[in-house]
Coordinates of all heavy atoms in Angstrom, one line a residue:
M368 N 0.9 -1.2 0.0 CA 0.0 0.0 0.0 C 0.9 1.2 0.0 O 1.9 1.3 0.7 CB -0.9 0.0 1.2 CG -2.0 -1.0 1.2 SD -3.6 -0.3 1.6 CE -3.8 0.0 3.2
N369 N 0.5 2.1 -0.8 CA 1.3 3.4 -0.8 C 0.7 4.4 0.3 O -0.4 4.1 0.9 CB 1.3 4.1 -2.2 CG 0.0 4.6 -2.7 OD1 -0.8 4.9 -1.9 ND2 -0.2 4.7 -4.0
F370 N 1.3 5.4 0.5 CA 1.0 6.5 1.5 C -0.5 6.9 1.4 O -1.3 6.9 2.4 CB 1.9 7.6 1.4 CG 1.7 8.7 2.4 CD1 2.1 8.6 3.7 CD2 1.1 9.9 2.1 CE1 2.0 9.6 4.7 CE2 0.8 10.9 3.1 CZ 1.3 10.7 4.4
E371 N -1.0 7.2 0.1 CA -2.3 7.7 -0.1 C -3.3 6.6 0.3 O -4.4 6.9 0.9 CB -2.5 8.0 -1.5 CG -2.0 9.4 -1.9 CD -2.4 9.8 -3.3 OE1 -3.5 9.5 -3.7 OE2 -1.5 10.4 -4.0
E372 N -3.0 5.3 0.0 CA -3.9 4.3 0.3 C -4.0 4.0 1.8 O -5.0 3.7 2.5 CB -3.5 3.0 -0.4 CG -3.8 3.1 -1.9 CD -3.1 1.9 -2.7 OE1 -2.2 1.3 -2.2 OE2 -3.5 1.7 -3.9
I373 N -2.8 4.0 2.5 CA -2.7 3.8 4.0 C -3.6 4.7 4.7 O -4.4 4.4 5.6 CB -1.3 3.9 4.5 CG1 -0.4 2.7 3.9 CG2 -1.3 3.8 6.0 CD1 1.0 2.9 4.1
Y374 N -3.6 6.0 4.3 CA -4.3 7.0 5.0 C -5.7 7.5 4.4 O -6.3 8.3 4.8 CB -3.5 8.3 5.3 CG -2.3 7.9 6.2 CD1 -1.0 7.7 5.8 CD2 -2.6 7.9 7.6 CE1 0.0 7.4 6.6 CE2 -1.5 7.5 8.4 CZ -0.2 7.3 8.0 OH 0.7 7.0 8.8
S375 N -6.1 6.7 3.3 CA -7.3 6.9 2.6 C -7.4 8.4 2.2 O -8.4 9.1 2.5 CB -8.5 6.5 3.3 OG -8.4 5.1 3.7
L376 N -6.4 9.0 1.7 CA -6.3 10.4 1.4 C -7.3 10.8 0.3 O -7.7 12.0 0.2 CB -4.9 10.9 1.0 CG -3.9 10.7 2.1 CD1 -2.5 11.2 1.6 CD2 -4.3 11.5 3.4
N377 N -7.8 9.8 -0.5 CA -8.8 10.1 -1.5 C -10.1 10.4 -0.8 O -11.0 10.9 -1.5 CB -8.9 9.0 -2.5 CG -9.4 7.7 -1.9 OD1 -9.2 7.4 -0.6 ND2 -10.0 6.8 -2.7
E378 N -10.3 10.2 0.4 CA -11.6 10.5 1.1 C -11.6 12.0 1.5 O -12.6 12.5 1.9 CB -11.8 9.6 2.4 CG -12.1 8.2 2.0 CD -12.2 7.3 3.2 OE1 -12.2 7.8 4.4 OE2 -12.3 6.1 3.0
I379 N -10.5 12.7 1.3 CA -10.5 14.1 1.6 C -11.2 14.8 0.4 O -10.7 14.6 -0.7 CB -9.1 14.6 1.9 CG1 -8.6 13.9 3.1 CG2 -9.1 16.2 1.9 CD1 -7.1 14.4 3.4
K380 N -12.2 15.6 0.7 CA -12.9 16.2 -0.4 C -13.0 17.8 -0.2 O -13.1 18.2 0.9 CB -14.3 15.7 -0.5 CG -14.4 14.2 -0.7 CD -14.5 13.9 -2.2 CE -14.7 12.4 -2.4 NZ -13.5 11.7 -2.8
N381 N -13.0 18.5 -1.3 CA -13.2 19.9 -1.2 C -14.7 20.1 -1.3 O -15.3 19.9 -2.4 CB -12.5 20.6 -2.4 CG -12.7 22.2 -2.4 OD1 -13.4 22.7 -1.5 ND2 -12.3 22.8 -3.4
E382 N -15.3 20.5 -0.2 CA -16.8 20.7 -0.1 C -17.3 21.7 -1.1 O -18.5 21.6 -1.5 CB -17.1 21.2 1.3 CG -17.0 20.2 2.4 CD -17.7 20.6 3.7 OE1 -18.0 21.7 3.8 OE2 -17.8 19.7 4.5
V383 N -16.5 22.7 -1.5 CA -16.9 23.7 -2.4 C -17.2 23.1 -3.8 O -18.1 23.6 -4.4 CB -15.8 24.7 -2.5 CG1 -16.1 25.7 -3.6 CG2 -15.7 25.5 -1.1
E384 N -16.5 22.1 -4.2 CA -16.7 21.5 -5.5 C -18.1 21.1 -5.8 O -18.6 21.5 -6.9 CB -15.8 20.2 -5.7 CG -14.4 20.6 -6.1 CD -13.6 19.3 -6.3 OE1 -14.1 18.2 -6.5 OE2 -12.3 19.4 -6.3
E385 N -18.7 20.4 -4.9 CA -20.0 19.9 -5.1 C -21.0 21.1 -5.3 O -21.9 21.0 -6.2 CB -20.4 19.0 -3.9 CG -21.6 18.1 -4.3 CD -22.0 17.3 -3.0 OE1 -21.1 16.9 -2.3 OE2 -23.2 17.1 -2.8
V386 N -20.8 22.1 -4.5 CA -21.7 23.2 -4.6 C -21.6 23.9 -6.0 O -22.5 24.3 -6.6 CB -21.5 24.2 -3.4 CG1 -22.6 25.3 -3.4 CG2 -21.5 23.5 -2.1
V387 N -20.3 24.1 -6.3 CA -20.0 24.7 -7.6 C -20.6 23.9 -8.8 O -21.2 24.5 -9.7 CB -18.5 25.0 -7.8 CG1 -18.1 25.3 -9.3 CG2 -18.0 26.0 -6.9
F388 N -20.4 22.7 -8.8 CA -21.0 21.8 -9.9 C -22.5 21.9 -9.9 O -23.0 22.0 -11.0 CB -20.5 20.3 -9.7 CG -19.0 20.2 -9.8 CD1 -18.4 19.0 -9.2 CD2 -18.2 21.1 -10.4 CE1 -17.0 18.9 -9.3 CE2 -16.8 21.0 -10.4 CZ -16.2 19.9 -9.9
Q389 N -23.1 21.8 -8.8 CA -24.6 21.9 -8.8 C -25.0 23.2 -9.3 O -26.1 23.3 -10.1 CB -25.1 21.7 -7.4 CG -25.1 20.3 -6.9 CD -25.4 20.1 -5.4 OE1 -25.8 21.1 -4.8 NE2 -25.4 18.9 -4.9
E390 N -24.4 24.3 -8.9 CA -24.8 25.6 -9.3 C -24.6 25.8 -10.8 O -25.4 26.4 -11.5 CB -24.0 26.6 -8.5 CG -24.5 28.1 -8.6 CD -25.9 28.3 -8.2 OE1 -26.4 27.6 -7.4 OE2 -26.6 29.1 -8.8
L391 N -23.5 25.3 -11.2 CA -23.1 25.4 -12.7 C -24.2 24.6 -13.5 O -24.6 25.2 -14.5 CB -21.7 24.8 -12.9 CG -21.1 25.0 -14.3 CD1 -21.0 26.4 -14.7 CD2 -19.7 24.3 -14.3
E392 N -24.6 23.5 -13.0 CA -25.6 22.7 -13.8 C -26.9 23.5 -13.9 O -27.5 23.6 -14.9 CB -25.8 21.3 -13.1 CG -26.8 20.4 -13.8 CD -27.1 19.1 -13.1 OE1 -26.8 19.0 -11.9 OE2 -27.6 18.2 -13.8
K393 N -27.3 24.0 -12.7 CA -28.6 24.7 -12.6 C -28.6 25.9 -13.5 O -29.5 26.2 -14.3 CB -28.8 25.2 -11.1 CG -30.2 25.5 -10.8 CD -30.4 25.5 -9.2 CE -29.4 26.4 -8.5 NZ -29.8 26.7 -7.0
K394 N -27.4 26.7 -13.5 CA -27.4 27.9 -14.3 C -27.3 27.5 -15.8 O -27.9 28.2 -16.6 CB -26.1 28.7 -13.9 CG -26.4 29.6 -12.6 CD -25.3 30.6 -12.5 CE -25.5 31.7 -11.5 NZ -26.3 31.5 -10.4
L395 N -26.5 26.5 -16.2 CA -26.4 26.1 -17.6 C -27.8 25.6 -18.1 O -28.2 25.9 -19.2 CB -25.3 25.1 -17.8 CG -23.9 25.6 -17.7 CD1 -22.9 24.5 -17.8 CD2 -23.6 26.7 -18.8
N396 N -28.5 24.9 -17.3 CA -29.8 24.4 -17.7 C -30.8 25.6 -18.0 O -31.7 25.4 -18.8 CB -30.4 23.5 -16.6 CG -29.8 22.1 -16.6 OD1 -29.2 21.7 -17.6 ND2 -29.9 21.4 -15.5
A397 N -30.6 26.7 -17.3 CA -31.4 27.8 -17.5 C -31.1 28.6 -18.8 O -31.8 29.6 -19.1 CB -31.4 28.8 -16.3
I398 N -30.0 28.3 -19.4 CA -29.6 29.0 -20.6 C -29.7 28.1 -21.9 O -29.4 26.9 -21.8 CB -28.0 29.4 -20.5 CG1 -27.8 30.2 -19.2 CG2 -27.6 30.2 -21.8 CD1 -26.3 30.5 -19.0
S399 N -30.3 28.6 -22.8 CA -30.5 27.9 -24.1 C -29.2 27.4 -24.7 O -28.3 28.2 -24.7 CB -31.3 28.7 -25.1 OG -31.1 28.2 -26.4
D400 N -29.2 26.2 -25.3 CA -28.0 25.6 -25.9 C -27.5 26.5 -27.1 O -26.4 26.5 -27.5 CB -28.3 24.2 -26.5 CG -28.4 23.2 -25.3 OD1 -28.3 23.6 -24.2 OD2 -28.7 22.0 -25.6
E401 N -28.4 27.3 -27.7 CA -28.1 28.1 -28.9 C -27.3 29.4 -28.4 O -26.6 30.0 -29.2 CB -29.3 28.5 -29.7 CG -29.8 27.4 -30.6 CD -31.3 27.1 -30.4 OE1 -32.1 28.1 -30.4 OE2 -31.7 25.9 -30.2
D402 N -27.6 29.7 -27.1 CA -27.0 31.0 -26.7 C -25.5 30.9 -26.3 O -24.7 31.8 -26.6 CB -27.7 31.6 -25.5 CG -29.1 32.0 -25.9 OD1 -29.3 32.3 -27.1 OD2 -30.0 32.2 -25.1
I403 N -25.1 29.8 -25.7 CA -23.7 29.6 -25.4 C -23.2 28.2 -25.7 O -24.0 27.2 -25.8 CB -23.4 29.9 -23.9 CG1 -24.1 28.9 -23.0 CG2 -23.8 31.4 -23.5 CD1 -23.6 29.0 -21.6
C404 N -21.8 28.1 -25.8 CA -21.3 26.7 -26.1 C -21.2 25.9 -24.7 O -20.8 26.5 -23.7 CB -19.9 26.9 -26.6 SG -19.1 25.2 -26.9
K405 N -21.8 24.7 -24.8 CA -21.8 23.9 -23.6 C -20.9 22.7 -23.8 O -21.3 21.6 -23.3 CB -23.2 23.6 -23.2 CG -24.0 24.7 -22.7 CD -25.4 24.2 -22.3 CE -26.4 25.4 -22.1 NZ -27.7 25.0 -21.7
C406 N -19.9 22.7 -24.6 CA -19.1 21.6 -24.9 C -18.3 21.2 -23.6 O -18.2 22.1 -22.7 CB -18.1 21.8 -26.1 SG -16.7 22.8 -25.7
K407 N -17.7 20.1 -23.6 CA -16.9 19.6 -22.4 C -15.8 20.6 -22.0 O -15.6 20.9 -20.8 CB -16.3 18.3 -22.8 CG -16.0 17.3 -21.6 CD -15.6 16.0 -22.1 CE -15.3 15.0 -21.0 NZ -14.9 13.7 -21.5
D408 N -15.1 21.1 -23.0 CA -14.0 22.0 -22.7 C -14.5 23.3 -22.1 O -13.9 23.7 -21.1 CB -13.3 22.4 -24.1 CG -12.4 21.3 -24.5 OD1 -12.1 20.3 -23.8 OD2 -12.0 21.3 -25.7
C409 N -15.5 23.9 -22.5 CA -16.0 25.1 -22.0 C -16.6 24.9 -20.6 O -16.3 25.7 -19.7 CB -17.1 25.7 -22.9 SG -16.5 26.5 -24.4
V410 N -17.4 23.9 -20.4 CA -18.0 23.6 -19.1 C -16.9 23.3 -18.0 O -16.9 23.8 -16.9 CB -19.1 22.5 -19.1 CG1 -19.6 22.2 -17.8 CG2 -20.2 23.0 -20.0
R411 N -15.9 22.6 -18.4 CA -14.9 22.3 -17.5 C -14.0 23.6 -17.2 O -13.5 23.8 -16.0 CB -13.9 21.1 -18.0 CG -14.7 19.9 -18.0 CD -13.7 18.7 -18.0 NE -13.0 18.6 -19.3 CZ -12.4 17.5 -19.8 NH1 -12.4 16.4 -19.0 NH2 -11.8 17.6 -20.9
D412 N -13.8 24.4 -18.2 CA -13.2 25.6 -18.1 C -13.9 26.5 -17.1 O -13.4 27.1 -16.2 CB -13.1 26.2 -19.4 CG -11.8 27.3 -19.5 OD1 -10.9 27.1 -18.6 OD2 -11.9 28.1 -20.3
M413 N -15.3 26.6 -17.2 CA -16.1 27.4 -16.3 C -15.9 26.9 -14.8 O -15.8 27.7 -13.9 CB -17.6 27.3 -16.7 CG -18.0 27.9 -18.0 SD -19.6 27.4 -18.5 CE -19.6 28.1 -20.2
A414 N -16.0 25.6 -14.7 CA -15.8 25.0 -13.3 C -14.4 25.4 -12.7 O -14.4 25.8 -11.6 CB -16.0 23.5 -13.4
C415 N -13.4 25.2 -13.5 CA -12.1 25.6 -13.0 C -11.9 27.0 -12.7 O -11.4 27.4 -11.7 CB -11.0 25.3 -14.1 SG -10.7 23.5 -14.3
Y416 N -12.5 27.9 -13.5 CA -12.5 29.3 -13.3 C -13.1 29.7 -12.0 O -12.6 30.4 -11.2 CB -13.1 30.1 -14.5 CG -13.2 31.5 -14.3 CD1 -12.1 32.3 -14.9 CD2 -14.2 32.2 -13.7 CE1 -12.1 33.7 -14.7 CE2 -14.2 33.6 -13.5 CZ -13.2 34.3 -14.1 OH -13.2 35.7 -13.9
A417 N -14.3 29.1 -11.8 CA -15.0 29.3 -10.5 C -14.3 28.8 -9.3 O -14.1 29.5 -8.3 CB -16.4 28.8 -10.6
L418 N -13.8 27.6 -9.4 CA -13.1 26.9 -8.3 C -11.8 27.6 -7.9 O -11.5 27.7 -6.7 CB -12.8 25.4 -8.6 CG -14.1 24.5 -8.5 CD1 -13.8 23.1 -9.1 CD2 -14.6 24.4 -7.1
N419 N -11.2 28.2 -8.9 CA -9.9 28.9 -8.6 C -10.1 30.1 -7.8 O -9.2 30.7 -7.3 CB -9.1 29.1 -9.9 CG -8.4 27.9 -10.3 OD1 -8.0 27.1 -9.6 ND2 -8.2 27.9 -11.7
Q420 N -11.3 30.7 -7.9 CA -11.6 31.9 -7.2 C -12.2 31.8 -5.7 O -12.3 32.7 -5.0 CB -12.6 32.7 -7.9 CG -12.0 33.1 -9.3 CD -12.8 34.2 -9.9 OE1 -13.0 35.2 -9.3 NE2 -13.1 34.0 -11.2
I421 N -12.5 30.5 -5.4 CA -13.1 30.3 -4.2 C -12.2 29.5 -3.3 O -11.6 28.5 -3.7 CB -14.4 29.5 -4.3 CG1 -15.4 30.2 -5.3 CG2 -15.1 29.3 -3.0 CD1 -16.5 29.4 -5.9
R422 N -12.0 30.0 -2.0 CA -11.1 29.3 -1.1 C -11.7 27.9 -0.8 O -12.8 27.7 -0.5 CB -11.0 30.0 0.2 CG -10.1 29.5 1.2 CD -9.9 30.4 2.4 NE -11.1 30.5 3.2 CZ -11.5 29.7 4.1 NH1 -10.8 28.6 4.3 NH2 -12.6 29.8 4.8
P423 N -10.8 26.8 -1.0 CA -11.3 25.5 -0.8 C -11.6 25.2 0.6 O -11.0 25.8 1.6 CB -10.2 24.6 -1.4 CG -9.0 25.5 -1.3 CD -9.4 26.9 -1.5
R424 N -12.6 24.3 0.9 CA -12.8 23.8 2.2 C -12.7 22.4 2.2 O -13.6 21.6 1.8 CB -14.3 24.2 2.7 CG -14.4 25.6 3.3 CD -14.5 26.6 2.3 NE -15.0 27.9 2.8 CZ -14.9 29.1 2.1 NH1 -14.4 29.2 0.9 NH2 -15.4 30.1 2.7
Y425 N -11.5 21.9 2.5 CA -11.3 20.4 2.5 C -11.7 19.8 3.9 O -11.4 20.3 5.0 CB -9.8 20.1 2.3 CG -9.4 20.3 0.8 CD1 -8.8 21.5 0.4 CD2 -9.7 19.4 -0.1 CE1 -8.5 21.6 -0.9 CE2 -9.4 19.6 -1.4 CZ -8.8 20.7 -1.8 OH -8.5 20.8 -3.1
T426 N -12.5 18.7 3.7 CA -12.8 17.9 4.9 C -12.8 16.4 4.6 O -12.7 16.1 3.4 CB -14.3 18.3 5.3 OG1 -15.1 17.8 4.3 CG2 -14.5 19.7 5.7
V427 N -12.8 15.7 5.6 CA -12.9 14.2 5.4 C -14.5 14.0 5.5 O -15.1 14.3 6.5 CB -12.2 13.4 6.5 CG1 -12.5 11.9 6.4 CG2 -10.7 13.7 6.4
S428 N -14.9 13.5 4.4 CA -16.4 13.4 4.2 C -17.1 12.7 5.4 O -18.2 13.1 5.8 CB -16.8 12.8 2.9 OG -16.0 11.7 2.6
L429 N -16.5 11.7 5.9 CA -17.1 10.9 7.1 C -17.3 11.8 8.3 O -18.2 11.5 9.1 CB -16.2 9.8 7.5 CG -16.0 8.6 6.5 CD1 -14.9 7.7 6.9 CD2 -17.4 8.0 6.3
L430 N -16.6 12.8 8.5 CA -16.7 13.7 9.6 C -17.7 14.8 9.5 O -18.1 15.5 10.4 CB -15.4 14.3 10.0 CG -14.3 13.4 10.4 CD1 -12.9 14.1 10.7 CD2 -14.7 12.4 11.5
G431 N -18.2 14.9 8.2 CA -19.2 15.9 7.9 C -18.7 17.3 7.9 O -17.5 17.5 7.9
S432 N -19.5 18.2 7.7 CA -19.1 19.6 7.4 C -18.7 20.3 8.8 O -19.3 20.1 9.7 CB -20.3 20.4 6.8 OG -19.9 21.7 6.7
L433 N -17.6 21.0 8.6 CA -17.1 21.8 9.8 C -17.6 23.2 9.8 O -17.3 24.0 10.7 CB -15.6 21.9 9.6 CG -14.8 20.6 9.6 CD1 -13.4 20.8 9.3 CD2 -15.0 19.9 10.9
Y434 N -18.5 23.6 8.8 CA -18.8 24.9 8.7 C -20.2 25.3 9.2 O -21.1 24.4 9.2 CB -18.7 25.3 7.1 CG -17.3 25.1 6.8 CD1 -16.9 23.9 6.1 CD2 -16.3 25.9 7.1 CE1 -15.7 23.6 5.8 CE2 -15.0 25.7 6.9 CZ -14.6 24.5 6.2 OH -13.3 24.2 5.9
T435 N -20.3 26.4 9.7 CA -21.5 26.8 10.4 C -22.5 27.3 9.4 O -22.2 27.5 8.2 CB -21.3 28.0 11.2 OG1 -20.8 29.1 10.4 CG2 -20.2 27.8 12.3
R436 N -23.7 27.2 9.7 CA -24.9 27.6 8.9 C -24.6 29.0 8.3 O -24.8 29.2 7.1 CB -26.1 27.6 9.7 CG -27.4 27.9 9.0 CD -27.9 26.7 8.2 NE -28.5 27.2 7.0 CZ -28.8 26.5 5.9 NH1 -28.4 25.3 5.8 NH2 -29.4 27.0 4.9
A437 N -24.2 29.9 9.0 CA -24.0 31.3 8.6 C -23.0 31.4 7.5 O -23.1 32.0 6.5 CB -23.6 32.2 9.7
E438 N -21.8 30.6 7.7 CA -20.8 30.7 6.7 C -21.3 30.0 5.4 O -21.0 30.5 4.4 CB -19.5 29.9 7.2 CG -18.3 30.4 6.4 CD -17.2 29.4 6.0 OE1 -17.5 28.2 6.0 OE2 -16.1 29.9 5.7
T439 N -22.1 29.0 5.6 CA -22.6 28.3 4.4 C -23.5 29.2 3.6 O -23.4 29.2 2.4 CB -23.4 27.0 4.8 OG1 -22.6 26.2 5.7 CG2 -23.8 26.1 3.7
D440 N -24.3 29.9 4.2 CA -25.2 30.8 3.5 C -24.4 31.8 2.6 O -24.7 32.1 1.5 CB -26.2 31.6 4.4 CG -27.3 30.6 4.9 OD1 -27.4 29.5 4.3 OD2 -28.0 31.0 5.8
T441 N -23.4 32.5 3.3 CA -22.6 33.4 2.6 C -21.9 32.8 1.5 O -21.7 33.3 0.4 CB -21.6 34.1 3.5 OG1 -22.2 34.3 4.8 CG2 -21.1 35.4 3.1
L442 N -21.3 31.6 1.7 CA -20.5 30.9 0.7 C -21.4 30.5 -0.5 O -20.9 30.8 -1.6 CB -20.0 29.6 1.4 CG -19.1 28.8 0.5 CD1 -17.9 29.5 0.1 CD2 -18.7 27.5 1.3
I443 N -22.6 30.1 -0.3 CA -23.5 29.8 -1.3 C -23.8 31.0 -2.2 O -23.8 30.9 -3.5 CB -24.7 29.0 -0.9 CG1 -24.3 27.6 -0.4 CG2 -25.8 28.9 -1.9 CD1 -25.3 26.8 0.2
N444 N -24.0 32.1 -1.5 CA -24.3 33.4 -2.3 C -23.0 33.7 -3.2 O -23.2 34.1 -4.3 CB -24.5 34.6 -1.3 CG -26.0 34.6 -0.9 OD1 -26.9 34.1 -1.7 ND2 -26.2 35.1 0.3
D445 N -21.8 33.6 -2.5 CA -20.6 33.9 -3.2 C -20.4 33.0 -4.5 O -20.1 33.4 -5.6 CB -19.3 33.8 -2.3 CG -19.2 34.8 -1.3 OD1 -20.0 35.8 -1.4 OD2 -18.4 34.8 -0.4
I446 N -20.7 31.7 -4.2 CA -20.5 30.7 -5.3 C -21.5 31.1 -6.4 O -21.1 31.0 -7.6 CB -20.7 29.3 -4.7 CG1 -19.5 29.0 -3.8 CG2 -20.9 28.3 -5.9 CD1 -19.7 27.6 -3.1
Q447 N -22.7 31.5 -6.2 CA -23.7 31.7 -7.2 C -23.2 32.9 -8.0 O -23.3 32.8 -9.3 CB -25.1 32.1 -6.6 CG -25.8 30.8 -6.0 CD -27.0 31.2 -5.3 OE1 -27.2 32.3 -4.8 NE2 -27.9 30.2 -5.1
D448 N -22.7 33.9 -7.4 CA -22.1 35.1 -8.2 C -20.9 34.6 -9.1 O -20.8 35.0 -10.2 CB -21.5 36.1 -7.2 CG -22.6 37.0 -6.6 OD1 -23.8 36.8 -7.0 OD2 -22.3 37.9 -5.8
I449 N -20.0 33.9 -8.4 CA -18.8 33.5 -9.2 C -19.1 32.6 -10.3 O -18.5 32.8 -11.4 CB -17.8 32.9 -8.2 CG1 -17.2 34.0 -7.3 CG2 -16.6 32.3 -8.9 CD1 -16.5 33.6 -6.0
V450 N -20.0 31.6 -10.1 CA -20.4 30.7 -11.2 C -21.0 31.5 -12.3 O -20.8 31.3 -13.5 CB -21.3 29.6 -10.7 CG1 -21.9 28.8 -11.8 CG2 -20.5 28.7 -9.8
G451 N -21.9 32.5 -12.0 CA -22.5 33.4 -13.0 C -21.4 34.1 -13.9 O -21.5 34.1 -15.1
K452 N -20.4 34.6 -13.2 CA -19.3 35.3 -13.9 C -18.5 34.3 -14.7 O -18.1 34.7 -15.8 CB -18.4 36.0 -12.9 CG -19.0 37.3 -12.4 CD -18.1 38.0 -11.4 CE -18.9 39.0 -10.6 NZ -18.6 38.9 -9.2
A453 N -18.3 33.1 -14.2 CA -17.5 32.2 -14.9 C -18.1 31.8 -16.2 O -17.5 31.8 -17.3 CB -17.3 30.9 -14.1
I454 N -19.5 31.6 -16.2 CA -20.2 31.3 -17.4 C -20.2 32.4 -18.5 O -19.9 32.2 -19.6 CB -21.7 30.9 -17.1 CG1 -21.8 29.7 -16.3 CG2 -22.6 30.9 -18.4 CD1 -23.2 29.4 -15.7
E455 N -20.3 33.6 -17.9 CA -20.2 34.8 -18.8 C -18.9 34.9 -19.4 O -18.8 35.0 -20.7 CB -20.5 36.0 -17.9 CG -21.1 37.2 -18.6 CD -21.3 38.3 -17.6 OE1 -22.2 38.3 -16.8 OE2 -20.5 39.3 -17.6
K456 N -17.8 34.9 -18.7 CA -16.5 35.0 -19.2 C -16.1 33.9 -20.2 O -15.6 34.2 -21.2 CB -15.5 35.0 -18.0 CG -14.1 35.5 -18.3 CD -13.3 35.6 -17.1 CE -11.8 35.7 -17.5 NZ -11.4 36.9 -18.2
I457 N -16.3 32.7 -19.8 CA -15.8 31.6 -20.7 C -16.7 31.6 -22.0 O -16.2 31.4 -23.1 CB -15.9 30.2 -20.0 CG1 -15.2 30.2 -18.7 CG2 -15.5 29.1 -20.9 CD1 -13.8 30.6 -18.7
S458 N -18.0 31.8 -21.8 CA -18.8 31.8 -23.1 C -18.6 32.9 -24.0 O -18.7 32.8 -25.2 CB -20.3 31.7 -22.7 OG -20.7 32.9 -22.0
Q459 N -18.0 34.0 -23.5 CA -17.7 35.1 -24.4 C -16.3 34.9 -25.0 O -16.0 35.5 -26.1 CB -17.7 36.4 -23.6 CG -19.1 36.9 -23.4 CD -19.3 38.1 -22.4 OE1 -18.2 38.6 -21.9 NE2 -20.4 38.5 -22.0
N460 N -15.4 34.2 -24.3 CA -14.1 34.0 -24.8 C -13.7 32.5 -24.6 O -12.9 32.2 -23.8 CB -13.0 34.8 -23.9 CG -13.3 36.2 -24.1 OD1 -13.0 36.8 -25.2 ND2 -13.7 36.9 -23.1
P461 N -14.3 31.6 -25.4 CA -14.0 30.2 -25.3 C -12.6 30.0 -25.7 O -12.0 30.7 -26.6 CB -15.0 29.5 -26.2 CG -15.6 30.6 -27.1 CD -15.4 31.8 -26.4
L462 N -12.0 28.9 -25.2 CA -10.6 28.6 -25.6 C -10.5 28.1 -27.0 O -9.5 28.3 -27.7 CB -10.0 27.5 -24.6 CG -9.8 27.9 -23.2 CD1 -9.4 26.6 -22.4 CD2 -8.7 28.9 -23.1
H463 N -11.6 27.5 -27.5 CA -11.5 27.1 -29.0 C -12.1 28.2 -29.8 O -12.6 29.2 -29.3 CB -12.4 25.8 -29.1 CG -13.8 25.9 -28.6 ND1 -14.7 26.7 -29.1 CD2 -14.4 25.4 -27.4 CE1 -15.8 26.7 -28.4 NE2 -15.6 25.9 -27.4
N464 N -12.1 28.0 -31.1 CA -12.6 29.0 -32.0 C -14.1 29.0 -31.9 O -14.8 28.0 -31.6 CB -12.3 28.7 -33.5 CG -10.8 28.9 -33.7 OD1 -10.2 29.8 -33.1 ND2 -10.2 28.0 -34.6
K465 N -14.7 30.2 -32.0 CA -16.2 30.3 -32.0 C -16.7 29.6 -33.2 O -16.1 29.8 -34.3 CB -16.6 31.8 -31.9 CG -16.4 32.4 -30.5 CD -16.9 33.7 -30.4 CE -16.5 34.3 -29.0 NZ -16.9 35.7 -28.8
S466 N -17.8 28.9 -33.0 CA -18.4 28.2 -34.3 C -19.4 29.2 -34.9 O -19.9 30.1 -34.4 CB -19.1 26.9 -33.8 OG -20.1 27.2 -32.8
Ligands
ZN576 ZN1 -17.0 25.1 -26.2

């Protein structure tokens, strides 16, 4: 067993990721496919852009969330804003050529 396996380090998760992905899905579903590119590259780029701007909250999932309700509410508001900006920015300047 290697170090990662001995300590089950893969069980450490960034709690922010799940919220960002859910928010991204919700927001993209509300936008028509004709209005923006939703290819794999663009959507992953949006996710990375948003995640890079939010301080990660790593926890061991078995222990549950360490964050208070108040922090969670603010965090969710921040994530909604940042995901909105990520979609706007990437859809206006996709890494690939515009079709
Ligand atoms: Zn694209």
Side-chain angles (χ1 to χ4, degrees):
M368 286 231 283
N369 69 25
F370 183 78
E371 279 187 42
E372 287 165 345
I373 292 167
Y374 292 102
S375 302
L376 295 179
N377 64 335
E378 286 173 13
I379 296 178
K380 302 266 184 257
N381 179 3
E382 290 192 345
V383 169
E384 274 182 22
E385 201 182 319
V386 187
V387 166
F388 297 159
Q389 282 172 3
E390 194 55 35
L391 189 56
E392 183 182 20
K393 201 163 50 169
K394 282 196 167 27
L395 287 176
N396 283 341
I398 303 172
S399 159
D400 288 358
E401 282 128 49
D402 290 340
I403 65 166
C404 179
K405 295 182 187 175
C406 77
K407 205 171 177 179
D408 285 342
C409 286
V410 172
R411 291 196 296 194
D412 206 21
M413 290 167 190
C415 290
Y416 180 90
L418 284 169
N419 280 331
Q420 297 195 50
I421 304 162
R422 185 172 64 81
R424 272 78 166 171
Y425 283 100
T426 61
V427 175
S428 42
L429 292 173
L430 299 180
S432 176
L433 300 173
Y434 301 99
T435 62
R436 182 79 212 161
E438 203 215 22
T439 307
D440 286 346
T441 323
L442 183 60
I443 287 173
N444 278 330
D445 289 352
I446 289 173
Q447 287 172 339
D448 281 357
I449 290 166
V450 169
K452 280 181 200 132
I454 294 172
E455 207 179 282
K456 192 173 161 68
I457 307 304
S458 63
Q459 284 167 6
N460 296 291
L462 289 175
H463 53 69
N464 291 328
K465 285 185 188 178
S466 55

